[in-house]
Amino acid sequence: MSSGSVRLAAGIHISMDFNSCGGGSELHNNHYHHTEESKPLLGEMSTPTPPEGNNNNKMGAGPYRRTLIPSSTGMRYKLLQEGDAQVCVVKHPRTFLSKLLTSKFLRRWEPHHLTLTDCSLASATPLGYMETPLSYSSIEDLQLLSWDNAPKYCLQLSFPGGTILLQAANSYVRDQWFHSLQWKKKLYKYRKVLTKPSRWEVVLKEIRALVELALTSPLQDDSIHQAPLHIISTLLAENTNLSPQEHENIIVAIAPLLENNPPPPDLCEFFCKHCRERPRSMVVIEVFTPVVQRILKHNMDFGKCPRLRLFTQEYILALNELNAGMEVVKKFIQSMHGLTGQCPHPRVLPNLVAVCLAAIYSCYEEFINSRDNSPSLKEIRNGFPAAPLPAPASVVNSSEVLVELERNNNVANSRLKGPARGHSEPNLIDCLLGSPALSALTIQLPAQANRVLRCFALILKMLSDYDDWRPALASLLQPIPFPKEALAHAKFTKELKYVIQRFAEDPRQEVHSCLLSVRSGKDGWFQLYSPGGVACDDDGELFASMVHILMGSCYKTKKFLLSLAENKLGPCMLLALRANQTMVEILCLMLEYNIIENKDTQLQIISTLESTQVGRTLYEQLCERQRELRELQRKGGPTRLTLPSKSTDADLARLLSSGSFGNLENLSLAFTNVTSACAEQLIKLPSLKQLNLWSTQFGDAGLRLLSEHLACLQVLNLCETPVTDAGLMALSSMKSLCSLNMNSTKLSADTYEDLKAKLPNLKEVDIRYTEAW
């Protein structure tokens, strides 16, 4: 028989002595060994009385002895649910003939596939001995036994009028069956006792005993701790009229089980109720805190267990109700992050953000669901609601959690490009600003909703203060995961402004790039907090700082400048009139890169620049650069040029300013020390067709700039440069490329396939020593 199989044999009560519940336990002196259940129910005898009478209940000459097996032997077992076995049932002998028939030489065995259900031991083939399931309530005793010249590793189940013996292949499997049967039998009894309780003081003792049973069980299985929690959860769901003190007593009793196990849904609802009704109870701090901490550290998806999220939300609100208020919440957030500069638990931030988003959404749920009293999205897009708004608190209505803000041609765009096409749909932000029905829009939240909004908006502020969390937080908030009602609420956008400011101050590209829209055609935080945007409540200070950080990164490109000229030219000129240096630089770049085509608009920009001292200075420098550019691009000079090794960006700039390079077609910067900064000089070469950047520090930012200005480039060597997929993808717009060397770069296979599809003229490609090779 294999080690995993079990033999079940029928027998009668036999004396035994068992020293250890683990495998390899030694059996002595023809005695059988008995293990009593670790924790009896209240009122149940802790040690059964030995059977009285003659030798009818003995099988051997040894004395009757029982020994409790300690639960802390160190052995651990997996909970068995089913297994193959052989069964033999023997009735208690009452006559000499029956003794002969029940002897070990005349026993008959039957093969069965046994299953441990919630209430009985059953067979998959209900025939013979196991024709009817054996209920756990009918099992009077459960013992481990052995005798001379008989199968070893036996397990005995006594029931009224008979006995079943179970034989395992080894002591470990025997003990595994023993503890599994013991657990199922005990759990069945507790489930019956706690179904219809009469005295709650007795119930509380039973709950403590059940918790102790689960904690001391040698079985290792998730259900060992979860099953008691579900029993108690059902008990609480069926008895809703408990006093607050009884609530606390039960919570304290089950606290040890919650240290390593999430509470089931019904229990979460019970905890939420306690947080709402008794937020200042010490149970919230002492018992719920480790539970919520574990949820935030280990939960993978609140969508599968929304009540865990609701419990976490109610717990945080309960902390906010304490005397110290948000200081307690702040200390809790600090405890979740840890004392080091890097949070060791990657799930904490996404879970906290999910709780905040759901809580903020709940504040506006009444407005979102009141469709009968609010204009529909279609009505707002058409400019007027179908019927007058009945109340001043009416708002834009949507059941979507994610805000879909569609960006189309606006007023500034019409100034640059002419009137918009008649069929173009208006921007949703413009709808919110310009709709007559919404011009007097006000949102008045109830007092409790205001407290919830303030609490979780402040938590978002706290999260943005941690440097290691800020990149992930910016990425999570980039799609603007708030209802439109929240964005139309000045109180909320004012609270959130601090978070956006923190993003705008962060020099890391992965942070401040999230200010822009998540994809083309959608508005982002940059649009919302710019002058004329829904959330803008200043004169453009935040807008200027956002533009400054974006222009200082890799966004000094035609595309970004073009979007500013189309959508935010008015605010840029207004801030330039107020001597904002960032905006003055923006206007100069628009003139330098020929972003503005309309002559009147160009003259207006020049007048704006000349109206301030900083504008005049920068405009004069622009004019000087333009004269140098015309001299540089004047026909003449060499067609090929190679810079000496170790040359720098400054050396290249000095060389190109020394004469005319309008005929330069081939430029080699191989093995020099140039970086992406030299792209500012390279884009001024109108005839450049071949560029060698082998073994330089030219990176992604420089590639983006080249891709926008050097559309005629045919040969590009990027061998051994630090470029990545982010920069290489920009090359897809350079349709004239016919030779491209990406040897020893961080090119991926997917990016390579994409480049091949988008560059039809590409004939020669070197991708050796890359992932795509």
Side-chain angles (χ1 to χ4, degrees):
M1 186 182 298
S2 66
S3 61
S5 62
V6 175
R7 300 194 65 172
L8 299 160
I12 56 179
H13 293 284
I14 304 170
S15 298
M16 60 152 71
D17 186 12
F18 188 69
N19 295 326
S20 172
C21 71
S25 58
E26 201 169 328
L27 305 172
H28 303 282
N29 301 328
N30 255 2
H31 301 155
Y32 75 91
H33 301 258
H34 167 67
T35 300
E36 192 55 54
E37 300 172 41
S38 62
K39 189 72 175 178
L41 291 168
L42 266 97
E44 187 177 341
M45 298 294 291
S46 60
T47 305
T49 305
E52 296 181 359
N54 55 21
N55 291 336
N56 287 347
N57 45 9
K58 294 190 291 182
M59 188 180 292
Y64 187 96
R65 289 197 296 162
R66 292 169 180 253
T67 303
L68 290 177
I69 296 179
S71 61
S72 58
T73 58
M75 295 298 293
R76 290 290 182 264
Y77 310 91
K78 181 175 176 58
L79 177 65
L80 288 175
Q81 300 291 350
E82 58 182 335
D84 293 322
Q86 290 189 359
V87 180
C88 181
V89 177
V90 177
K91 303 297 181 180
H92 286 170
R94 292 182 175 83
T95 64
F96 178 77
L97 180 60
S98 64
K99 288 183 180 180
L100 284 176
L101 294 175
T102 58
S103 66
K104 60 184 178 181
F105 303 104
L106 299 177
R107 292 178 190 148
R108 180 172 57 87
W109 299 85
E110 294 179 353
H112 286 275
H113 184 81
L114 299 177
T115 302
L116 293 173
T117 67
D118 289 340
C119 59
S120 64
L121 177 66
S123 173
T125 55
L127 300 172
Y129 293 142
M130 298 302 296
E131 183 176 2
T132 59
L134 178 64
S135 173
Y136 297 137
S137 60
S138 66
I139 299 177
E140 297 175 341
D141 203 1
L142 188 61
Q143 301 174 1
L144 302 171
L145 55 87
S146 178
W147 64 93
D148 289 341
N149 300 322
K152 294 184 178 180
Y153 314 124
C154 285
L155 182 64
Q156 173 183 301
L157 284 75
S158 300
F159 61 94
T163 305
I164 297 178
L165 296 179
L166 297 86
Q167 182 189 17
N170 55 58
S171 62
Y172 182 87
V173 178
R174 175 202 63 189
D175 293 346
Q176 187 179 17
W177 273 95
F178 171 77
H179 290 296
S180 298
L181 277 166
Q182 186 186 65
W183 169 256
K184 290 284 188 176
K185 178 178 180 294
K186 210 58 156 168
L187 201 64
Y188 173 74
K189 290 183 178 180
Y190 278 112
R191 192 176 283 113
K192 288 187 66 177
V193 169
L194 296 176
T195 299
K196 294 181 179 180
S198 56
R199 298 171 55 197
W200 277 100
E201 58 272 14
V202 175
V203 168
L204 186 60
K205 293 179 182 179
E206 299 290 4
I207 290 176
R208 289 170 179 159
L210 175 58
V211 171
E212 182 68 18
L213 173 68
L215 293 175
T216 56
S217 173
L219 294 172
Q220 267 189 332
D221 194 90
D222 292 340
S223 63
I224 299 303
H225 288 172
Q226 285 295 327
L229 289 177
H230 280 288
I231 292 175
I232 297 169
S233 177
T234 303
L235 171 70
L236 295 173
E238 295 174 352
N239 298 269
T240 57
N241 56 345
L242 299 179
S243 67
Q245 188 58 47
E246 289 171 334
H247 279 191
E248 292 199 0
N249 292 337
I250 293 175
I251 292 171
V252 172
I254 65 176
L257 290 180
L258 298 172
E259 291 179 2
N260 297 309
N261 299 275
D266 290 340
L267 205 55
C268 284
E269 200 166 300
F270 173 69
F271 290 168
C272 289
K273 181 180 178 183
H274 190 80
C275 287
R276 287 191 294 266
E277 294 178 353
R278 304 196 69 185
R280 295 174 180 267
S281 167
M282 288 307 297
V283 167
V284 173
I285 297 292
E286 296 177 358
V287 178
F288 289 167
T289 297
V291 178
V292 173
Q293 286 177 332
R294 188 183 185 281
I295 290 172
L296 291 174
K297 290 177 182 178
H298 300 288
N299 176 67
M300 298 302 295
D301 185 5
F302 276 131
K304 296 180 180 178
C305 41
R307 292 189 187 179
L308 285 180
R309 177 197 54 73
L310 185 60
F311 168 48
T312 306
Q313 176 181 327
E314 294 293 347
Y315 165 79
I316 293 175
L317 291 174
L319 294 184
N320 192 38
E321 291 296 324
L322 300 177
N323 291 335
M326 287 306 299
E327 284 301 317
V328 181
V329 177
K330 185 176 182 180
K331 289 180 180 178
F332 173 73
I333 299 298
Q334 290 173 345
S335 72
M336 295 308 306
H337 180 275
L339 300 177
T340 60
Q342 190 76 24
C343 179
H345 304 286
R347 291 300 309 166
V348 169
L349 178 67
N351 286 333
L352 279 173
V353 172
V355 171
C356 291
L357 295 180
I360 292 171
Y361 184 84
S362 68
C363 296
Y364 300 94
E365 199 162 10
E366 180 181 350
F367 296 96
I368 294 171
N369 294 333
S370 59
R371 290 186 176 273
D372 294 338
N373 298 324
S374 300
S376 67
L377 183 61
K378 181 179 179 181
E379 292 167 348
I380 293 168
R381 291 188 183 282
N382 292 334
F384 293 91
L389 293 178
S394 297
V395 295
V396 184
N397 231 340
S398 174
S399 59
E400 303 169 356
V401 178
L402 294 181
V403 180
E404 297 294 337
L405 299 172
E406 302 181 6
R407 177 158 59 96
N408 296 291
N409 296 333
N410 61 9
V411 178
N413 188 23
S414 65
R415 287 203 305 265
L416 292 172
K417 303 291 185 180
R421 290 172 296 180
H423 64 273
S424 63
E425 195 173 17
N427 188 313
L428 183 55
I429 292 180
D430 296 334
C431 291
L432 288 171
L433 291 171
S435 172
L438 299 173
S439 58
L441 175 67
T442 59
I443 293 180
Q444 295 181 355
L445 298 178
Q448 177 60 23
N450 268 321
R451 286 195 293 272
V452 173
L453 179 66
R454 183 175 181 275
C455 174
F456 288 97
L458 286 174
I459 290 178
L460 289 177
K461 290 183 181 182
M462 295 175 195
L463 300 180
S464 69
D465 285 332
Y466 290 94
D467 289 340
D468 60 316
W469 276 351
R470 204 174 299 130
L473 178 63
S475 178
L476 290 169
L477 297 186
Q478 186 179 14
I480 315 182
F482 300 103
K484 290 184 283 293
E485 289 76 8
L487 299 177
H489 190 196
K491 183 175 181 180
F492 171 71
T493 54
K494 186 176 181 180
E495 293 283 353
L496 199 63
K497 183 178 179 180
Y498 177 85
V499 178
I500 306 305
Q501 183 71 51
R502 296 292 286 164
F503 295 164
E505 293 170 353
D506 197 302
R508 291 171 291 184
Q509 179 189 340
E510 66 266 30
V511 178
H512 60 247
S513 63
C514 292
L515 295 170
L516 299 175
S517 59
V518 69
R519 62 181 182 272
S520 178
K522 301 294 179 181
D523 278 331
W525 295 114
F526 178 76
Q527 285 78 20
L528 263 67
Y529 279 91
S530 60
V534 175
C536 184
D537 62 350
D538 55 26
D539 291 333
E541 291 82 0
L542 177 56
F543 172 67
S545 58
M546 288 192 290
V547 172
H548 176 75
I549 194 71
L550 292 172
M551 290 299 295
S553 181
C554 60
Y555 290 94
K556 198 173 184 179
T557 62
K558 269 186 167 182
K559 183 178 179 181
F560 183 61
L561 290 172
L562 185 60
S563 68
L564 286 179
E566 291 178 347
N567 300 292
K568 301 298 175 185
L569 182 58
C572 290
M573 294 176 65
L574 177 62
L575 291 172
L577 277 173
R578 296 173 180 175
N580 184 288
Q581 183 156 348
T582 299
M583 294 306 163
V584 170
E585 293 174 358
I586 290 292
L587 295 183
C588 288
L589 285 172
M590 288 181 181
L591 294 176
E592 185 173 0
Y593 291 161
N594 295 319
I595 300 296
I596 308 298
E597 300 175 359
N598 188 286
K599 295 297 182 182
D600 292 336
T601 306
Q602 290 179 3
L603 293 175
Q604 187 177 353
I605 290 176
I606 293 172
S607 300
T608 302
L609 292 173
E610 291 180 337
S611 62
T612 61
Q613 180 59 43
V614 62
R616 283 193 297 272
T617 302
L618 292 180
Y619 182 62
E620 289 172 1
Q621 294 174 0
L622 169 62
C623 294
E624 182 63 27
R625 288 198 305 272
Q626 293 292 87
R627 284 192 291 271
E628 293 174 356
L629 179 62
R630 285 192 293 271
E631 176 62 24
L632 170 68
Q633 295 179 345
R634 188 165 55 87
K635 292 299 180 181
T639 58
R640 301 174 62 88
L641 181 63
T642 301
L643 256 66
S645 62
K646 309 303 180 184
S647 297
T648 64
D649 296 329
D651 297 327
L652 176 62
R654 193 177 300 111
L655 176 64
L656 294 181
S657 64
S658 63
S660 299
F661 292 91
N663 292 337
L664 186 62
E665 297 181 357
N666 189 322
L667 175 61
S668 176
L669 302 176
F671 305 104
T672 64
N673 294 332
V674 298
T675 66
S676 293
C678 74
E680 295 280 354
Q681 306 298 326
L682 298 178
I683 62 176
K684 299 175 182 178
L685 301 172
S687 303
L688 192 61
K689 295 180 180 179
Q690 301 180 32
L691 178 60
N692 188 351
L693 295 168
W694 188 0
S695 191
T696 64
Q697 293 303 308
F698 198 87
D700 294 338
L703 279 185
R704 291 192 185 97
L705 202 55
L706 293 184
S707 66
E708 290 194 339
H709 295 269
L710 297 181
C712 296
L713 198 65
Q714 298 175 2
V715 179
L716 180 59
N717 189 345
L718 298 171
C719 180
E720 297 180 7
T721 58
V723 295
T724 66
D725 285 345
L728 292 170
M729 280 301 298
L731 299 179
S732 59
S733 62
M734 304 178 73
K735 305 301 182 182
S736 298
L737 274 178
C738 56
S739 177
L740 181 59
N741 188 338
M742 298 176 285
N743 186 323
S744 304
T745 63
K746 296 179 181 179
L747 172 71
S748 69
D750 291 340
T751 300
Y752 175 57
E753 294 298 326
D754 192 61
L755 284 175
K756 285 198 302 181
K758 294 181 178 179
L759 297 176
N761 296 321
L762 198 58
K763 301 292 190 299
E764 299 177 7
V765 184
D766 188 347
I767 57 170
R768 289 175 296 171
Y769 309 109
T770 67
E771 182 187 315
W773 188 27

